[in-house]
Amino acid sequence: MHVSSIAHLFYRINPLRIREILKFMGSERAQKVERLLDFGSESAGGMIRTTFWKFDGDLTVKEAYNQLFQKTPKPEAVVVTNGNEKFIGTFYTKDLLDSDSLALLKDIVSEKKFVYPNVGINNLIAIFSKYNLRILPVVDKDKKPIGVVRIDAILEKIEERIKTTNEFI
């Protein structure tokens, strides 16, 4: 189970039970879950997937394609970073087919949008809606990617609000 999925479940559990459960997890995994819980369930940091695809921007399209071709499942989108692991942008894997095989990934980035972990759900909904996004990288203060918020997490939050308020946002 993804760390982010565990954190999402923990938002619904009594805090005293959370401590008991964390004791049974490995210390590294428990620390990751606790870090996500610190952000809160209504923020980008609380909704991120900490496992995501990330490539250096100096890779060629052909090199990226070869790496992606060997893996399953194939990611829908990939985060691109520079040599210092700082965020450059994202590209959708379907766009690799239309790109020059010798082009560098940093040159085919299609989205440069990102958010910080403290951005709230209302702002996330607005960003996803305005730019028709499928994923949105979340970066730390140094602009290093720490995860991605996926559209399914946004839709799940909207669904929860509809169920609890019986109205649309």
Side-chain angles (χ1 to χ4, degrees), residues 25-83:
M25 301 174 94
S27 62
E28 184 180 330
R29 197 164 198 202
Q31 286 176 346
K32 288 180 181 179
V33 171
E34 285 179 318
R35 204 172 313 128
L36 293 180
L37 290 173
D38 287 342
F39 293 121
S41 67
E42 296 290 310
S43 70
M47 297 173 61
I48 62 173
R49 285 275 184 154
T50 55
T51 54
F52 59 97
W53 283 82
K54 177 176 63 172
F55 285 147
D56 187 280
D58 289 327
L59 279 179
T60 65
V61 168
K62 183 177 182 177
E63 291 169 327
Y65 181 81
N66 287 338
Q67 287 185 35
L68 290 171
F69 185 75
Q70 297 171 9
K71 305 292 181 182
T72 54
K74 310 279 186 271
E76 183 175 6
V78 175
V79 174
V80 179
T81 60
N82 67 14

Side-chain angles (χ1 to χ4, degrees), residues 4 11 35-50 114-125 127-128 136-139 146-150 153-154 157:
S4 53
Y11 289 126
R35 204 172 313 128
L36 293 180
L37 290 173
D38 287 342
F39 293 121
S41 67
E42 296 290 310
S43 70
M47 297 173 61
I48 62 173
R49 285 275 184 154
T50 55
F114 66 89
V115 293
Y116 292 104
N118 60 344
V119 171
I121 184 66
N122 290 337
N123 288 333
L124 287 172
I125 292 170
I127 293 167
F128 270 82
L136 182 62
V138 179
V139 300
I146 59 172
V148 296
V149 176
R150 296 177 5 174
I154 298 296
K157 287 290 182 185

